mmCIF file of all heavy atoms in Angstrom:
data_model
loop_
_atom_site.group_PDB
_atom_site.id
_atom_site.type_symbol
_atom_site.label_atom_id
_atom_site.label_comp_id
_atom_site.label_asym_id
_atom_site.label_seq_id
_atom_site.Cartn_x
_atom_site.Cartn_y
_atom_site.Cartn_z
ATOM 1 N N VAL T 393 -5.635 -14.166 2.896
ATOM 2 C CA VAL T 393 -4.302 -14.046 3.435
ATOM 3 C C VAL T 393 -4.074 -12.425 3.396
ATOM 4 O O VAL T 393 -3.579 -11.848 4.483
ATOM 5 C CB VAL T 393 -3.274 -14.767 2.690
ATOM 6 C CG1 VAL T 393 -1.799 -14.283 3.166
ATOM 7 C CG2 VAL T 393 -3.435 -16.259 2.980
ATOM 8 N N THR T 394 -4.180 -11.843 2.245
ATOM 9 C CA THR T 394 -3.860 -10.392 1.974
ATOM 10 C C THR T 394 -4.805 -9.598 2.917
ATOM 11 O O THR T 394 -4.278 -8.655 3.565
ATOM 12 C CB THR T 394 -4.146 -9.970 0.612
ATOM 13 O OG1 THR T 394 -3.369 -10.888 -0.290
ATOM 14 C CG2 THR T 394 -3.716 -8.524 0.421
ATOM 15 N N ARG T 395 -5.993 -9.767 3.026
ATOM 16 C CA ARG T 395 -7.001 -9.077 3.835
ATOM 17 C C ARG T 395 -6.636 -9.104 5.283
ATOM 18 O O ARG T 395 -6.562 -8.303 6.064
ATOM 19 C CB ARG T 395 -8.454 -9.436 3.503
ATOM 20 C CG ARG T 395 -9.525 -8.650 4.304
ATOM 21 C CD ARG T 395 -9.374 -7.220 4.333
ATOM 22 N NE ARG T 395 -9.326 -6.606 3.101
ATOM 23 C CZ ARG T 395 -10.460 -6.001 2.419
ATOM 24 N NH1 ARG T 395 -11.693 -6.103 3.124
ATOM 25 N NH2 ARG T 395 -10.308 -5.380 1.360
ATOM 26 N N LEU T 396 -6.281 -10.386 5.843
ATOM 27 C CA LEU T 396 -6.065 -10.595 7.218
ATOM 28 C C LEU T 396 -4.813 -9.716 7.631
ATOM 29 O O LEU T 396 -4.675 -9.155 8.677
ATOM 30 C CB LEU T 396 -5.893 -12.054 7.506
ATOM 31 C CG LEU T 396 -7.151 -12.892 7.632
ATOM 32 C CD1 LEU T 396 -6.841 -14.352 7.674
ATOM 33 C CD2 LEU T 396 -8.083 -12.450 8.718
ATOM 34 N N LEU T 397 -3.784 -9.738 6.767
ATOM 35 C CA LEU T 397 -2.597 -8.984 6.937
ATOM 36 C C LEU T 397 -2.837 -7.511 6.997
ATOM 37 O O LEU T 397 -2.263 -6.848 7.843
ATOM 38 C CB LEU T 397 -1.546 -9.335 5.932
ATOM 39 C CG LEU T 397 -0.838 -10.678 5.979
ATOM 40 C CD1 LEU T 397 0.073 -11.009 4.725
ATOM 41 C CD2 LEU T 397 -0.048 -10.841 7.230
ATOM 42 N N SER T 398 -3.753 -7.007 6.088
ATOM 43 C CA SER T 398 -4.098 -5.658 6.022
ATOM 44 C C SER T 398 -4.933 -5.239 7.207
ATOM 45 O O SER T 398 -5.025 -4.076 7.600
ATOM 46 C CB SER T 398 -4.769 -5.360 4.777
ATOM 47 O OG SER T 398 -4.131 -5.689 3.590
ATOM 48 N N VAL T 399 -5.733 -6.202 7.763
ATOM 49 C CA VAL T 399 -6.673 -5.886 8.890
ATOM 50 C C VAL T 399 -5.892 -5.586 10.067
ATOM 51 O O VAL T 399 -6.388 -4.725 10.972
ATOM 52 C CB VAL T 399 -7.609 -7.037 9.098
ATOM 53 C CG1 VAL T 399 -8.143 -7.058 10.525
ATOM 54 C CG2 VAL T 399 -8.768 -6.981 8.148
ATOM 55 N N ILE T 400 -4.600 -6.237 10.332
ATOM 56 C CA ILE T 400 -3.925 -6.098 11.579
ATOM 57 C C ILE T 400 -3.627 -4.780 11.884
ATOM 58 O O ILE T 400 -3.932 -4.188 12.994
ATOM 59 C CB ILE T 400 -2.736 -7.011 11.474
ATOM 60 C CG1 ILE T 400 -3.106 -8.431 11.457
ATOM 61 C CG2 ILE T 400 -1.802 -6.679 12.748
ATOM 62 C CD1 ILE T 400 -1.808 -9.469 11.221
ATOM 63 N N PRO T 401 -3.043 -3.808 11.018
ATOM 64 C CA PRO T 401 -2.648 -2.495 11.346
ATOM 65 C C PRO T 401 -3.943 -1.575 11.707
ATOM 66 O O PRO T 401 -3.992 -0.659 12.541
ATOM 67 C CB PRO T 401 -1.778 -1.937 10.213
ATOM 68 C CG PRO T 401 -2.084 -2.823 9.075
ATOM 69 C CD PRO T 401 -2.466 -4.120 9.685
ATOM 70 N N VAL T 402 -4.941 -1.921 10.885
ATOM 71 C CA VAL T 402 -6.319 -1.121 11.163
ATOM 72 C C VAL T 402 -6.850 -1.472 12.580
ATOM 73 O O VAL T 402 -7.237 -0.560 13.225
ATOM 74 C CB VAL T 402 -7.221 -1.401 10.079
ATOM 75 C CG1 VAL T 402 -8.601 -0.731 10.253
ATOM 76 C CG2 VAL T 402 -6.662 -1.121 8.601
ATOM 77 N N LEU T 403 -6.879 -2.670 12.811
ATOM 78 C CA LEU T 403 -7.340 -3.070 14.223
ATOM 79 C C LEU T 403 -6.562 -2.448 15.332
ATOM 80 O O LEU T 403 -7.010 -1.910 16.426
ATOM 81 C CB LEU T 403 -7.473 -4.646 14.345
ATOM 82 C CG LEU T 403 -8.487 -5.398 13.799
ATOM 83 C CD1 LEU T 403 -8.333 -6.928 13.983
ATOM 84 C CD2 LEU T 403 -9.880 -4.962 14.416
ATOM 85 N N ILE T 404 -5.165 -2.577 15.260
ATOM 86 C CA ILE T 404 -4.295 -1.913 16.142
ATOM 87 C C ILE T 404 -4.550 -0.414 16.299
ATOM 88 O O ILE T 404 -4.687 0.067 17.508
ATOM 89 C CB ILE T 404 -2.812 -2.203 15.713
ATOM 90 C CG1 ILE T 404 -2.485 -3.614 15.995
ATOM 91 C CG2 ILE T 404 -1.832 -1.263 16.643
ATOM 92 C CD1 ILE T 404 -1.046 -3.999 15.369
ATOM 93 N N CYS T 405 -4.780 0.217 15.172
ATOM 94 C CA CYS T 405 -5.094 1.605 15.169
ATOM 95 C C CYS T 405 -6.473 1.907 15.952
ATOM 96 O O CYS T 405 -6.569 2.825 16.688
ATOM 97 C CB CYS T 405 -5.170 2.123 13.740
ATOM 98 S SG CYS T 405 -5.390 4.030 13.634
ATOM 99 N N VAL T 406 -7.399 1.051 15.666
ATOM 100 C CA VAL T 406 -8.695 1.405 16.237
ATOM 101 C C VAL T 406 -8.621 0.956 17.820
ATOM 102 O O VAL T 406 -9.228 1.810 18.542
ATOM 103 C CB VAL T 406 -9.759 0.372 15.578
ATOM 104 C CG1 VAL T 406 -11.138 0.333 16.418
ATOM 105 C CG2 VAL T 406 -10.075 0.798 14.182
ATOM 106 N N LEU T 407 -7.965 -0.097 18.126
ATOM 107 C CA LEU T 407 -7.862 -0.333 19.536
ATOM 108 C C LEU T 407 -7.037 0.605 20.378
ATOM 109 O O LEU T 407 -7.359 0.912 21.525
ATOM 110 C CB LEU T 407 -7.230 -1.763 19.783
ATOM 111 C CG LEU T 407 -8.203 -2.929 19.130
ATOM 112 C CD1 LEU T 407 -7.323 -4.208 19.135
ATOM 113 C CD2 LEU T 407 -9.322 -3.049 19.983
ATOM 114 N N LEU T 408 -5.974 1.071 19.788
ATOM 115 C CA LEU T 408 -5.103 2.149 20.524
ATOM 116 C C LEU T 408 -5.918 3.387 20.707
ATOM 117 O O LEU T 408 -5.604 4.247 21.651
ATOM 118 C CB LEU T 408 -3.851 2.400 19.711
ATOM 119 C CG LEU T 408 -2.826 1.246 19.651
ATOM 120 C CD1 LEU T 408 -1.648 1.627 18.752
ATOM 121 C CD2 LEU T 408 -2.388 1.028 21.103
ATOM 122 N N THR T 409 -6.827 3.737 19.858
ATOM 123 C CA THR T 409 -7.582 5.015 19.901
ATOM 124 C C THR T 409 -8.929 4.886 20.585
ATOM 125 O O THR T 409 -9.682 5.857 20.639
ATOM 126 C CB THR T 409 -7.717 5.606 18.578
ATOM 127 O OG1 THR T 409 -8.264 4.736 17.652
ATOM 128 C CG2 THR T 409 -6.315 6.210 18.033
ATOM 129 N N SER T 410 -9.299 3.625 20.999
ATOM 130 C CA SER T 410 -10.653 3.380 21.457
ATOM 131 C C SER T 410 -11.007 4.075 22.733
ATOM 132 O O SER T 410 -12.080 4.623 22.948
ATOM 133 C CB SER T 410 -10.832 1.882 21.686
ATOM 134 O OG SER T 410 -10.041 1.413 22.674
ATOM 135 N N GLY T 411 -9.936 4.468 23.594
ATOM 136 C CA GLY T 411 -10.368 5.247 24.735
ATOM 137 C C GLY T 411 -10.180 6.810 24.563
ATOM 138 O O GLY T 411 -10.442 7.506 25.542
ATOM 139 N N LYS T 412 -9.758 7.271 23.494
ATOM 140 C CA LYS T 412 -9.758 8.660 23.100
ATOM 141 C C LYS T 412 -10.877 9.239 22.519
ATOM 142 O O LYS T 412 -11.963 8.511 22.354
ATOM 143 C CB LYS T 412 -8.522 8.845 22.138
ATOM 144 C CG LYS T 412 -7.223 8.361 22.736
ATOM 145 C CD LYS T 412 -6.074 8.669 21.788
ATOM 146 C CE LYS T 412 -4.775 8.274 22.316
ATOM 147 N NZ LYS T 412 -3.608 8.491 21.374
ATOM 148 N N SER T 413 -10.972 10.317 22.157
ATOM 149 C CA SER T 413 -12.156 11.048 21.576
ATOM 150 C C SER T 413 -12.396 10.501 20.162
ATOM 151 O O SER T 413 -11.475 10.013 19.516
ATOM 152 C CB SER T 413 -11.977 12.576 21.531
ATOM 153 O OG SER T 413 -10.946 12.901 20.616
ATOM 154 N N ALA T 414 -13.591 10.779 19.644
ATOM 155 C CA ALA T 414 -13.980 10.294 18.370
ATOM 156 C C ALA T 414 -13.114 10.980 17.195
ATOM 157 O O ALA T 414 -12.610 10.215 16.350
ATOM 158 C CB ALA T 414 -15.349 10.578 18.150
ATOM 159 N N ILE T 415 -12.855 12.233 17.499
ATOM 160 C CA ILE T 415 -11.988 12.881 16.494
ATOM 161 C C ILE T 415 -10.609 12.343 16.357
ATOM 162 O O ILE T 415 -9.986 12.268 15.360
ATOM 163 C CB ILE T 415 -11.923 14.376 16.782
ATOM 164 C CG1 ILE T 415 -11.329 15.156 15.558
ATOM 165 C CG2 ILE T 415 -11.263 14.730 18.055
ATOM 166 C CD1 ILE T 415 -12.064 15.323 14.241
ATOM 167 N N ASP T 416 -10.022 11.956 17.599
ATOM 168 C CA ASP T 416 -8.760 11.392 17.554
ATOM 169 C C ASP T 416 -8.757 9.936 16.769
ATOM 170 O O ASP T 416 -7.843 9.625 15.981
ATOM 171 C CB ASP T 416 -8.190 11.139 19.128
ATOM 172 C CG ASP T 416 -7.932 12.452 19.733
ATOM 173 O OD1 ASP T 416 -7.519 13.389 18.990
ATOM 174 O OD2 ASP T 416 -7.980 12.569 20.968
ATOM 175 N N GLU T 417 -9.778 9.182 17.049
ATOM 176 C CA GLU T 417 -9.872 7.871 16.404
ATOM 177 C C GLU T 417 -10.064 8.148 14.851
ATOM 178 O O GLU T 417 -9.331 7.460 14.009
ATOM 179 C CB GLU T 417 -11.060 7.179 16.810
ATOM 180 C CG GLU T 417 -11.268 5.753 16.101
ATOM 181 C CD GLU T 417 -12.434 4.987 16.772
ATOM 182 O OE1 GLU T 417 -13.550 5.532 16.431
ATOM 183 O OE2 GLU T 417 -12.241 4.017 17.299
ATOM 184 N N HIS T 418 -10.753 9.105 14.345
ATOM 185 C CA HIS T 418 -11.042 9.392 13.039
ATOM 186 C C HIS T 418 -9.677 9.951 12.343
ATOM 187 O O HIS T 418 -9.345 9.338 11.192
ATOM 188 C CB HIS T 418 -11.933 10.514 12.841
ATOM 189 C CG HIS T 418 -13.362 10.168 13.428
ATOM 190 N ND1 HIS T 418 -14.333 11.050 13.450
ATOM 191 C CD2 HIS T 418 -13.939 8.865 13.771
ATOM 192 C CE1 HIS T 418 -15.473 10.453 14.048
ATOM 193 N NE2 HIS T 418 -15.221 9.154 14.297
#
Side-chain angles (χ1 to χ4, degrees):
V393 171
T394 305
R395 178 49 60 94
L396 285 172
L397 289 173
S398 302
V399 157
I400 292 170
V402 181
L403 276 177
I404 291 172
C405 184
V406 171
L407 293 173
L408 288 176
T409 56
S410 59
K412 299 182 180 180
S413 65
I415 188 73
D416 286 335
E417 182 180 66
H418 300 170

